[in-house]
Amino acid sequence: MSDAAPWERDEGPSRAPAKAPSQSPAKPKSDRPKSDRPRASAAERPAGRSASSRPATRDAAEGRPATRTRRDERQDSEAPRSRGPAEPKAPTRRALREATAEALATGVQTLEVTPDEAGMRIDRFLSARFPQLPFTRIQSLVRKGELRVNGKRAKAADRVEPGASVRVPPLSLEARPPAPNSPRAEGDLAFLRSLILYEDQDMMVLNKPFGLAVQGGSGTTRHVDGLLEAMRDKDGQKPRLVHRLDKDTAGCLIIAKTRLAAATLAKTFRSRAARKIYWALAAGVPKVRQGRISTYLAKEEIGDADARMRVAKHGDEGASHALTYYAVVDQAGQKLAWLSLKPVTGRTHQLRAHAAHIGHPLVGDPKYFDIENWELPGGLQNRLHLLARRIVIPHPRTAKPIDVTAPLPPHMAQSWNLLGFDAARYDPIVEAPEA
């Protein structure tokens, strides 16, 4: 953290030095033995304190000999015995997060990475430190080069190391999330609980509904990442997103409940060890009933997080390889096809862009549906028909497979009923290759 960290404690007051010897003229020594000299009464002696431990007086602070009356000493003896200041405790995760979030647009800040934050992506690190800051704003900071790690410009995929110095420009944060136990937080918590398909002490799988964004953005105030504020534990830890789904894609969304689980699950997704199966409704029926789609995809507008993806060539700026396996499960004449999709890579809008690339865009897709004079069959809703149907992933702690299936969202269930599709039908994509 910066040198002006709000939780940095002031040093306790130092003890006053021992009382200096008096400079008054020396008096002749008494002839009486030392043991015969009169002793100070109990009222005249400060209880439980030596002269060297008395607080320095104003005179002593100004360099003059301190003078004390018997009345002062009597008051000292009657005062409660001081136990000294309590040793401050190290800041908790909640204190760390809240103190960071309180630094509102006061200028450039320098954050120090703690050992507990080691290995986090730089954008996730900032998101954890500034929970009120929209993720799109964080991406903008990185894209414009305003974020620096150890003096160097950072990229979104860079990972922080313990002790690293992260320079953050002035920020403008949104309103604080609802306080725990507030009516809004309780409502958010009840809503999230209603979405849980699987849960244990390390992770949970939510059935994300159609139309709910995973993260905040321009004009997006309600999203899964914000709702997870209601699930903060007593240490201030909030469940973390492991991957994303498009706003209009329903189905299985994995959430990590601990930092260790988040790091492990993120590695699982990067290594492509997670098996994902999607269901979709496409316009027309592919001639090849089971196939493989392999292209390069790039954003039409570089820097726009939600830009439309285009099929690109190898070597084009921002182009990444994308691979999808598909199978036709059932069809309604030659008008519509129930597709089962297995993405090997995880590019933005990959399944939607690939379906459009083979000439069978997904029903209700506002970005990629480009068939002219195509009419939506009666009774079907003009909403994106794409479901993250099933996910199989090794458990972050035990490594045993977790297999979770999501039900059809209401608009897709209505379409399946109208078209006579049976959701219990055998899915041939299960046997598709993994790479």
Side-chain angles (χ1 to χ4, degrees), residues 20-267:
S22 173
Q23 302 299 321
S24 58
K27 294 182 180 180
K29 294 183 179 180
S30 172
D31 293 332
R32 279 192 288 178
K34 184 176 180 181
S35 60
D36 295 335
R37 292 175 189 171
R39 297 181 179 178
S41 64
E44 294 171 345
R45 288 198 310 270
R49 295 173 27 148
S50 64
S52 63
S53 64
R54 293 172 186 163
T57 64
R58 181 178 178 182
D59 290 338
E62 295 175 357
R64 298 194 299 269
T67 58
R68 295 176 62 84
T69 65
R70 289 187 176 181
R71 180 179 178 184
D72 294 332
E73 295 176 346
R74 195 160 47 244
Q75 289 175 344
D76 283 351
S77 67
E78 295 171 356
R81 188 171 183 176
S82 174
R83 297 182 178 179
E87 189 68 22
K89 297 181 179 179
T92 62
R93 289 192 184 95
R94 171 174 285 184
L96 188 71
R97 178 183 59 80
E98 291 183 351
T100 306
E102 288 297 332
L104 297 173
T106 55
V108 175
Q109 304 170 63
T110 302
L111 312 179
E112 183 176 343
V113 180
T114 65
D116 193 39
E117 295 167 324
M120 294 180 68
R121 280 173 50 124
I122 185 63
D123 50 1
R124 304 296 181 193
F125 167 80
L126 276 193
S127 182
R129 287 292 189 96
F130 297 96
Q132 301 110 303
L133 192 66
F135 196 69
T136 51
R137 171 65 175 142
I138 293 174
Q139 292 176 318
S140 175
L141 292 175
V142 177
R143 187 170 62 251
K144 294 178 180 178
E146 299 181 57
L147 197 66
R148 296 181 181 269
V149 178
N150 293 334
K152 299 180 180 179
R153 292 180 64 169
K155 297 181 181 178
D158 290 348
R159 297 186 179 274
V160 295
E161 298 298 332
S165 176
V166 181
R167 175 191 175 278
V168 182
L171 303 174
S172 178
L173 304 186
E174 296 177 341
R176 296 180 65 84
N181 302 323
S182 68
R184 178 181 166 186
E186 290 179 358
D188 291 347
L189 181 59
F191 175 68
L192 286 173
R193 289 290 178 196
S194 71
L195 303 179
I196 293 177
L197 298 171
Y198 171 86
E199 183 181 22
D200 60 31
Q201 62 182 355
D202 301 295
M203 60 177 286
M204 58 184 172
V205 182
L206 301 181
N207 179 23
K208 190 191 84 65
F210 166 89
L212 178 62
V214 171
Q215 291 175 312
S218 178
T220 302
T221 57
R222 184 175 173 81
H223 46 83
V224 175
D225 195 36
L227 294 172
L228 290 174
E229 290 286 345
M231 285 190 166
R232 284 194 182 273
D233 61 20
K234 60 182 180 181
D235 294 328
Q237 285 204 72
K238 168 186 147 184
R240 298 165 175 83
L241 297 169
V242 176
H243 64 125
R244 326 180 19 175
L245 294 176
D246 295 338
K247 178 179 179 180
D248 290 341
T249 301
C252 297
L253 179 68
I254 294 181
I255 306 293
K257 297 175 73 174
T258 67
R259 191 179 299 279
L260 177 60
T264 305
L265 291 168
K267 289 179 182 178

Side-chain angles (χ1 to χ4, degrees), residues 282-287 289 328 331-337 359-360 371 374 377:
V285 181
K287 292 181 180 179
R289 298 187 69 82
V328 176
Q331 65 188 80
Q334 294 298 314
K335 184 77 173 179
L336 298 164
H360 300 282
I371 300 178
W374 192 88

